[in-house]
């Protein structure tokens, strides 16, 4: 988790970048083949979940991008491993990093569960993610805990 990229949202004054899905889908050689060729570390996996959690919900390119990641067994299996061990992985991080990563994982899970085609492809331990997410949420300071509480409640329901 030491290689996690800066997760703070960019300032409002920054120029509006191209949508993440456009950038990811435009990768030379194809997104799936690049995902498959990558050797994923925990930090890389968490960073990819952060990016995927920021995709516009319900957008066709967002679904295609999510499906590209979920269709790669190496990524999907490592994501499942990280989801099952989220509490241990986030434990040593600062409260701010825990809050940001937990929000990203919960948003990612909700996006996948919202789309039947993605839910079928995912094969991720959503119940375990919800349980570990709740355990991580309880370790956060009250205000930070309340920012992720609505996402956690939606995942459990």
């Amino acid at each position: 988790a030491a290689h996690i990229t800066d997760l703070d949202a960019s300032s409002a004054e920054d120029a509006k970048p191209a949508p993440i899905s456009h950038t990811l889908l435009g990768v030379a050689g194809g997104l799936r083949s690049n995902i498959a060729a990558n050797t994923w570390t925990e930090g890389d996996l968490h960073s990819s979940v952060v990016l995927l959690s920021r995709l516009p919900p319900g957008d066709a390119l967002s679904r295609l991008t999510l499906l590209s990641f979920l269709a790669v067994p190496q990524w999907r299996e490592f994501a499942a491993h990280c989801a099952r061990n989220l509490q241990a992985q986030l434990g040593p991080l600062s409260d701010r990093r825990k809050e940001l990563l937990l929000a990203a994982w919960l948003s990612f899970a909700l996006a996948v569960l919202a789309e039947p085609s993605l839910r079928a492809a995912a094969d991720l331990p959503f119940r375990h993610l919800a349980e570990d997410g709740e355990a991580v949420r309880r370790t956060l300071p009250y205000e930070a805990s309340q920012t992720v509480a609505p996402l956690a409640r939606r995942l459990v329901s």
Side-chain angles (χ1 to χ4, degrees):
H3 301 291
I4 296 173
T5 61
D6 183 18
L7 304 175
D8 293 325
S10 59
S11 71
E13 295 92 34
D14 290 345
K16 187 173 180 177
I20 295 168
S21 54
H22 292 178
T23 303
L24 291 174
L25 291 171
V27 171
L31 182 56
R32 281 188 196 174
S33 62
N34 279 280
I35 295 167
N38 194 23
T39 302
W40 292 93
T41 65
E42 286 178 9
D44 295 334
L45 194 288
H46 290 306
S47 294
S48 68
V49 168
V50 169
L51 287 174
L52 295 172
S53 75
R54 294 179 179 173
L55 294 172
D59 178 70
L61 289 178
S62 296
R63 283 190 303 276
L64 183 58
T65 303
L66 285 164
L67 189 57
S68 294
F69 276 83
L70 293 169
V72 177
Q74 302 95 306
W75 188 90
R76 187 180 60 248
E77 290 165 10
F78 196 44
H81 167 77
C82 287
R84 279 190 295 275
N85 298 295
L86 196 61
Q87 185 178 6
Q89 291 176 12
L90 300 187
L93 301 177
S94 71
D95 289 340
R96 180 69 179 143
R97 294 260 188 231
K98 278 192 253 190
E99 176 190 2
L100 291 169
L101 282 172
L102 180 57
W105 272 97
L106 295 172
S107 296
F108 165 72
L110 290 167
V112 170
L113 289 171
E115 296 289 337
S117 62
L118 296 175
R119 188 172 44 240
D123 193 29
L124 295 173
F126 294 111
R127 179 177 294 285
H128 196 91
L129 175 61
E131 292 168 0
D132 256 24
E134 181 57 24
V136 170
R137 190 184 73 77
R138 286 193 306 264
T139 69
L140 294 172
Y142 180 78
E143 287 183 19
S145 143
Q146 295 310 300
T147 63
V148 295
L151 294 169
R153 282 192 295 273
R154 284 181 47 213
L155 185 58
V156 171
S157 63

